[in-house]
Structure formats: C-alpha cells, structure tokens
Amino acid sequence: MAERPISQRGRKWRLLRDAVILLLTLVFLAVTLDFPMFTARQALRATQTRYYWEDGQVVADLGSGPLYDRQYLLRMGNWYAWCGLSREGLLWDSGTLVSLYRDSEQPLSAVTPHNRGVVLVLAGDPDIVQVEVEYPVLVSESDAGMVYDLNILRQGPVADGCFWFQLTGNLLPAYYMDRIRLRGYDADGRLIYQSPEPESWTSRYELR
C-alpha cells in the first residue's frame, strides 16, 4: 500500500515542531550543564543568576588569579561578593561566587573565597582606610622539618570599605582565616583594630 504524500501544511507543522523541540533542548542543556559562554560578561551574568545575585553591581575588576582567569568584585547594598570565572579556550564557564556582609558592628570581617591565597576584607568602621594582613609563609624545608615566618601586606581599598589581597611569598598549600591576622589603620596610619593572633601560628607553625 502506497504512503500518503505529506501535504505542504503538514511539512511546515513538522518543521515547526522540530524547531521547538530543538530550542527546548538547548535551553535544558544551558540550564542543567552550565553551557559555555563566549564572553566573561555572559559568564558573570550566568553566575549571578545561579547564586541569586542578579542585582549585584560590579565595583571592581580584580583581573586573573591563582585559579581563575577573571575575578570580579560585586556589591548589593551592604553585601559584597567575589566572583571567579574560568575559561577553556575561547569559551567561558559559569563560575563561583562567595559573598560577605559588611557589618557596622565589626571593625573588620574577612573571608578566603578559595584557599589558594586570596582574601576579601570588609571594613565596618568607616575610619579604616588601610588594611594589613599577616600570614605564615614557608622559609625553608629540610629533613629536620619546615621553617616558617610571617609575611605582611598592607594596602588601600579597591572599593568603598572593601579590600582585596592576593598573598605573595612562598605560600602554604592552603589558607583559611584561622591562619591570618587582620589590622585596620586610619588615614594618619594609626592602628584602629587588630584581630587576635591565630592559635595555629604557635601550635602548627611554631611562630612567636
């Protein structure tokens, strides 16, 4: 028995149906697989949506870092966020976002967005215009053991009340806030705030 020929109308309907199915499939892949993007700004917007930070505004471009090809600092009210993006060839992936609240009751608050030597610091005290971070670094390594010392970085804000550090020196494999000491200074260089000395400096690194 011969097949009935497809009418022009039926052919158009099938083409429309296939186009809709293809479009829905692409949307599904983009949502579920973090489909790569062509620009860093597209990846940034995708990351903001993923972390419910659509209203966040870029206040600083932090350049590249130890793990990421592009880093941004975002602000949404009293909340700040670091965003790191990676690129594979010409395509960008949606990245990672870590946020921190600027608390007026806390002279300084900080977070290490990832543990490879970067620190985001917020000053709740408006008189703090410079921040210092002090952290252990490896000096030497031998059969007798490892020798550590302390390194200090000090700088001004990258945005209002916000300070960003990429640690330098012979860094440890990982850094967390229980290994870092913070200090805040006013415009005249006077010390306003100093966080407690980390216990790990003596218990783990035999400093002091």
Side-chain angles (χ1 to χ4, degrees):
M1 182 176 178
E3 294 184 3
R4 178 182 297 180
I6 301 174
S7 66
Q8 187 71 17
R9 184 178 180 181
R11 189 175 292 110
K12 289 182 179 180
W13 169 251
R14 285 190 177 184
L15 288 174
L16 178 61
R17 180 197 62 189
D18 292 344
V20 170
I21 292 174
L22 177 61
L23 178 61
L24 292 176
T25 301
L26 291 175
V27 171
F28 174 79
L29 289 173
V31 172
T32 59
L33 301 179
D34 285 336
F35 209 73
M37 287 142 281
F38 292 100
T39 68
R41 286 290 176 165
Q42 287 178 333
L44 174 62
R45 287 194 294 270
T47 305
Q48 288 181 259
T49 300
R50 183 178 174 187
Y51 285 87
Y52 305 102
W53 257 78
E54 296 95 329
D55 296 331
Q57 301 296 315
V58 175
V59 293
D61 185 336
L62 303 172
S64 61
L67 295 180
Y68 295 91
D69 297 295
R70 187 65 63 82
Q71 302 174 104
Y72 293 99
L73 180 65
L74 310 173
R75 182 177 183 179
M76 187 167 58
N78 284 330
W79 283 92
Y80 287 79
W82 162 90
C83 179
L85 305 173
S86 298
R87 181 173 60 184
E88 292 291 338
L90 298 176
L91 298 177
W92 293 83
D93 295 322
S94 63
T96 301
L97 188 148
V98 178
S99 59
L100 182 65
Y101 183 71
R102 185 180 179 186
D103 188 351
S104 60
E105 300 297 321
Q106 296 290 333
L108 291 176
S109 52
V111 65
T112 52
H114 58 81
N115 59 14
R116 296 299 178 88
V118 294
V119 187
L120 173 63
V121 184
L122 299 182
D125 187 336
D127 291 331
I128 294 178
V129 297
Q130 283 197 325
V131 167
E132 192 174 84
V133 294
E134 188 174 15
Y135 55 96
V137 292
L138 180 63
V139 175
S140 64
E141 183 177 0
S142 65
D143 293 338
M146 298 181 179
V147 177
Y148 301 94
D149 200 356
L150 291 171
N151 201 15
I152 295 176
L153 293 179
R154 182 172 170 178
Q155 62 188 40
V158 295
D160 181 32
C162 181
F163 304 79
W164 174 255
F165 294 89
Q166 292 198 170
L167 307 186
T168 60
N170 194 6
L171 301 180
L172 307 180
Y175 282 92
Y176 304 96
M177 288 313 302
D178 63 354
R179 304 175 186 180
I180 299 172
R181 191 176 202 179
L182 304 174
R183 297 184 183 92
Y185 298 86
D186 66 13
D188 295 323
R190 290 189 294 263
L191 179 65
I192 295 179
Y193 171 78
Q194 178 174 253
S195 63
E197 181 178 301
E199 293 183 5
S200 63
W201 285 5
T202 53
S203 63
R204 184 167 184 172
Y205 304 110
E206 299 181 357
L207 296 165
R208 302 303 190 189

